[in-house]
Amino acid sequence: MQSKLITNKHALRKLFSLAVFLLVSTYAFAQSAVTGTVTDKSGMPLIGVSVVEKGTTNGNVTDIDGKYSVKVEKGKTLVFSYIGYQTQEVKVESNVINVTMNEDSQLLDEVVVIGYGSMERKDVTSSITTVKAEDLNTGVVTTPAQLLQGKVPGLTVANTSDPNGSASISLRGASTLRTGEAMEPYYVIDGVPGVSLSLVAPEDIESIDVLRDASATAIYGSKAANGVIIVTTKKGNKDGRTNVSYSGYVAWDKTMKTVDMMDANELLTYANANDIDISAYYDASNPANTNWQDEVLRTGFSHNHNVSINGGNEKTSYNASLNFLERQGVVRGTNMDRLTARSFLQTKAFNNRLDISLSLNASIRNSSTGPTGSQGQSVLDAMYYYSPLVPVKNADDSWYSNTSISQNYNPMSMVNEDRYDTKEKLLQGVAKATFHIIDGLDWNLNLSYQNQQYIYSNYNSSKTQLPSVAARNGQADRSTVENIRKQMETYLNWNHTFNDAHKVGVMLGYSWEQSDNNDGFGLRVYNFYSDDLGYYNMGMANNIDINDVISNNLATLRMISFYGRANYSYKSKYLLQATVRRDGSSAFGVNNRWGTFPSVSAAWRIIEEDFMKDQDIFDDLKFRIGYGVSGNSLGFDAFYARQVYGHTGWFTYVDANGTESDYRILGATRNSNPDLKWESTGMFNVGLDFGFFNNRLTGTIEYYSKKTSDLIYDYPVSTNRYSYGVMTANVGDISNKGIEITLNAVPVQTKDFTWSTTLNLSHNKNVVEKLSNETYSVNYIDQANPDVGGYSSTNVQRIMEGAPIGQFYLWEWAGYDENGGSIFNDYDENGNLVGVTDAPDDSDRRMAGSAQPKITYGWNNDLTWKNWTLTAFFQGVAGNKIFNSTRCYYSQVGLVAAGKNVLAEVATEQNPHDSRAQAPSDRYLENGSYLRLSTLTLGYNFGKIGNWVNNLRLYATCNNVFTITGYSGVDPEVNLGGLTPGMDWRNTNYPRTRTFLVGINVNF
């Protein structure tokens, strides 16, 4: 019995030892390294593939042979990720895991909005650039156009720091002689054409598609000559949850650079050294030392808040957002605030065959500013020219003034006593329905209504120094304008694939729209008992003049359109697209109210050919070519082609009783032109899309040539033949030719660190080819008067055949004569240089460079390390000229004797006896090239926090970090749009600011 017990104990000891061995072995396996090789589908090893244990930072990357090693427990999951390939998750069940990565076609399968539909990017035959929300510019943004600066090749954007200003924007060069809306791209928001961008807060944008060539834009016909920008806003989700998001920031604006004017001591020293008596313009016994820029400028504070709610399921989805932005300009008295609300609801009905959506959007914007007029009546001008020897206020607390000096107004008086306020109200309703008739055939109906109201309210107090209102003892102006836009569009979309190879798409549509613009009136009253009410309660004024009654002409425009598009794709290899649109508009002459705008484009995806299967150089290769015609009817009113009569004066009527009465004289103010027609732009475009290194390097090269014909301009005509001296007619031609390059790369990708970069470069050559014909003729059109003392009628730009818009045409400065006065090259009637002159005339002006940049570029860099992100965005232009009219005007030595201020450099760079120093010559034409670190953003993503916060991100941004330039003015980023690009105006250019911003994004 005892022997049996001993035997059992021995057996138990062996069993226990075996159990311990097995446990240790299992634990050892759990902690052992998992190894393997990662290859592509051809068997080639992939270098730098991230291999990470799911939910942790434990991981590694593959070496040059595609091999990796990671210590991970059995049962855990490894995540394999690599740029250009689909991410894979593999459960750990052995010590060796080999993985074959499949190419990620997400980029090619990305949906691109093309107008009245969408398609996969691989099937696109036109030039379209898509910018996602996360790639848009970061900063204090008041208009969506600012979001795109430097992001789209061919799109030239010049921003402003003025909270009430707007960016100048042009796509592939200027193609009209009309300004304003006529020079800008056409905007489409959520499929609704012509919608105001004021209705969209930047935080509500999902993506922006920029249609750059005519084969893409022709579907929008007569409104697309300057390109089309399609904004897609965020919609509800379908995951059955309700998401609440908040994003907000606070920001501070500081002036980057001020104008170096003389201080009080420098001004007195200069005057004494050159025997200039200025004692009559200041208190010699008690001179002040006022820095007027310090008085006018401040640190601007801004804050922005956006709250959005979205949710839904497979049948119904919804989204609502509320955005509030308040921005304080660095110039005192310049402010804006905007409240924007958006709502969207979409649902399905009739057994999911009918999709219905409703959206209601609204915004209210309040803007305030001070005077920015000419002849010294601008705060932006007066803070430079006003003498530093005088105080801001007198001893009795009134504003200092000296009326003996011409065009001399205290800038702080203008800031406080002259107010100009604008309230803009926008309301938009959109209803959409899509009926799925059969698989692949959809009928769409879109209805939209937009109401836009402006209320302009101005008040010049009894203390104002502005001469036109100084004697009116307080003047109030109030006016209102309403614009209404109604639109209906209906179209059919049919898409079908035959034999898994032939993909066919057809779209046919019709649209009707009516715009009732400029419906308004206003009133001006003056002579108040008190300034306390401002422009409120205008009935308290004592005087009103019939000439001050403001009337507007209601302009009703109607347009109907028929349009269609056909697409064909063979295995996504050979692609063809054709569009046509026929527009009819009441804006044009009765003989030319219809226009037809066709386009055709094709693409060859070379990468899909059999002979490309075995090569290992290209991952994508696609050739595109297209031609299209689009028009430009933007910026027209209803009276361009019609005979118009208006108020041209007064006459006194005496009746039979001898009673005198004043009656208006009605006369012609516009001629009728029944032949006025569309401006039309034809554009040829060819492009090559490519990808290398598993699509870690992708890009596009484009060449385009566009020509705009039948340019509309006002030409002088004889009043012996016409009732008015100007005729609006089609005459001119403009051409633009250019090259655009885009490169996208991921140079570095490791387990913890990724660097992705995007570079785009654009070159455009703009030429005015024709200005005259046998009926209407001008030799040239002079533009851009800098309004310089002694040369008030001298322009510095000229529009002429063979030169671009923005061609500078200047006198050539030749130094000084024996008396120290500026002299200029003198030319005879044959254009020969014959010497120099101190009194140049118009015939002595010569071509002197262009405001058009030779290169426009943007370079974005995104660096990610674990949860940290750093974005550095550079942008700039090269090869353009700027006329520094600010330096030109304040170099006038005569301003000192007149009691004003001048540039500090005058003491060393200007001859004190030079009365012609300010003559608008090439002396003040400078190189406008610059490179700017436009945005630097550092962020940290906290990810999910508990059960309440799905994601939390904090970030800090600095805008306009630094600028590398040779330009001597305040800032080289000047307006590059309109008919006078490249002008650094002294009375309207707002100081450039550097912005510091701290923000948060949180999703609940």
Side-chain angles (χ1 to χ4, degrees), residues 207-270:
S207 65
I208 298 178
D209 293 273
V210 181
L211 281 56
R212 291 154 47 210
D213 71 337
S215 64
T217 64
I219 195 64
Y220 289 105
S222 63
K223 302 172 183 177
N226 300 316
V228 177
I229 295 179
I230 301 177
V231 179
T232 301
T233 62
K234 296 175 181 177
K235 304 295 190 300
N237 61 59
K238 298 181 180 181
D239 59 8
R241 298 184 303 157
T242 296
N243 297 309
V244 179
S245 299
Y246 168 80
S247 61
Y249 61 75
V250 292
W252 296 265
D253 278 316
K254 297 282 290 184
T255 303
M256 288 179 62
K257 182 180 179 182
T258 56
V259 178
D260 188 14
M261 308 297 290
M262 288 188 178
D263 62 22
N265 182 61
E266 289 172 327
L267 187 59
L268 286 173
T269 301
Y270 180 79

Side-chain angles (χ1 to χ4, degrees), residues 11 39 148 197 281 310 820 980 984:
T39 61
L148 293 172
L197 286 178
Y281 304 121
N310 66 77
T980 57
D984 188 352

Side-chain angles (χ1 to χ4, degrees), residues 11 25 227 244 319 352 580 614 628 695 891 902 905:
S25 299
V244 179
N319 184 80
N352 293 336
V580 64
D614 295 329
N695 280 325
S891 294
V902 293
E905 69 182 37

Side-chain angles (χ1 to χ4, degrees), residues 524-581:
R524 175 180 298 155
V525 297
Y526 59 97
N527 192 9
F528 287 84
Y529 290 111
S530 169
D531 292 321
D532 292 342
L533 295 175
Y535 47 69
Y536 296 108
N537 203 343
M538 296 173 69
M540 297 295 290
N542 290 292
N543 295 91
I544 183 172
D545 192 325
I546 187 65
N547 287 307
D548 291 333
V549 175
I550 303 167
S551 60
N552 294 60
N553 297 321
L554 173 65
T556 298
L557 279 174
R558 295 186 182 91
M559 176 178 286
I560 60 174
S561 306
F562 302 90
Y563 46 88
R565 177 177 56 231
N567 302 303
Y568 172 75
S569 168
Y570 175 70
K571 293 185 177 180
S572 292
K573 182 190 300 185
Y574 309 115
L575 312 164
L576 181 66
Q577 176 178 287
T579 70
V580 64
R581 182 169 180 132

Side-chain angles (χ1 to χ4, degrees), residues 650-684:
W650 294 90
F651 74 94
T652 301
Y653 173 74
V654 182
D655 64 16
N657 298 320
T659 303
E660 295 184 354
S661 302
D662 289 335
Y663 282 82
R664 293 188 184 274
I665 299 172
L666 298 182
T669 57
R670 186 186 290 275
N671 289 317
S672 171
N673 184 355
D675 296 320
L676 190 70
K677 60 184 178 181
W678 316 82
E679 295 179 334
S680 61
T681 297
M683 185 187 301
F684 169 77

Side-chain angles (χ1 to χ4, degrees), residues 289-502:
N289 187 11
T290 305
N291 186 318
W292 290 101
Q293 293 180 75
D294 285 351
E295 295 293 331
V296 171
L297 301 176
R298 64 185 174 187
T299 297
F301 176 73
S302 303
H303 59 107
N304 180 80
H305 311 275
N306 186 275
V307 178
S308 66
I309 303 172
N310 66 77
N313 51 42
E314 289 297 327
K315 187 171 184 178
T316 301
S317 60
Y318 58 89
N319 184 80
S321 66
L322 189 67
N323 178 269
F324 179 75
L325 167 66
E326 184 175 22
R327 185 176 186 186
Q328 191 180 68
V330 293
V331 176
R332 297 183 188 276
T334 58
N335 306 283
M336 69 84 67
D337 63 75
R338 182 186 64 204
L339 179 66
T340 305
R342 297 185 64 83
S343 61
F344 173 82
L345 175 65
Q346 180 174 334
T347 190
K348 296 179 181 294
F350 298 116
N351 198 25
N352 293 336
R353 285 201 171 272
L354 179 64
D355 297 335
I356 301 174
S357 68
L358 299 172
S359 59
L360 184 64
N361 311 307
S363 76
I364 299 176
R365 173 174 174 150
N366 297 293
S367 304
S368 298
T369 185
T372 56
S374 59
Q375 302 296 312
Q377 299 180 42
S378 170
V379 175
L380 302 178
D381 187 15
M383 68 177 178
Y384 303 136
Y385 71 65
Y386 218 66
S387 173
L389 295 169
V390 301
V392 176
K393 286 188 173 184
N394 299 310
D396 61 0
D397 204 42
S398 62
W399 300 109
Y400 176 87
S401 70
N402 189 336
T403 56
S404 68
I405 302 175
S406 175
Q407 301 175 14
N408 189 63
Y409 313 107
N410 187 324
M412 291 306 293
S413 170
M414 287 190 280
V415 165
N416 291 276
E417 308 300 340
D418 304 284
R419 303 305 314 132
Y420 304 94
D421 299 334
T422 300
K423 182 186 291 290
E424 178 190 16
K425 298 180 180 180
L426 265 169
L427 179 66
Q428 181 204 41
V430 179
K432 295 184 178 183
T434 299
F435 186 66
H436 306 288
I437 302 172
I438 58 175
D439 290 344
L441 179 61
D442 298 334
W443 170 69
N444 303 273
L445 175 65
N446 297 345
L447 302 173
S448 67
Y449 174 91
Q450 178 177 292
N451 182 288
Q452 184 178 40
Q453 297 181 33
Y454 292 94
I455 300 174
Y456 303 98
S457 305
N458 309 331
Y459 189 73
N460 306 99
S461 82
S462 60
K463 302 173 185 177
T464 182
Q465 297 182 8
L466 300 183
S468 61
V469 291
R472 288 206 154 190
N473 197 36
Q475 175 176 290
D477 299 70
R478 298 204 83 178
S479 60
T480 181
V481 175
E482 181 181 53
N483 302 322
I484 295 176
R485 180 186 178 88
K486 294 169 283 190
Q487 192 171 46
M488 184 275 290
E489 292 193 307
T490 181
Y491 54 97
L492 287 167
N493 270 324
W494 177 68
N495 293 281
H496 191 73
T497 301
F498 299 91
N499 299 326
D500 294 327
H502 305 277

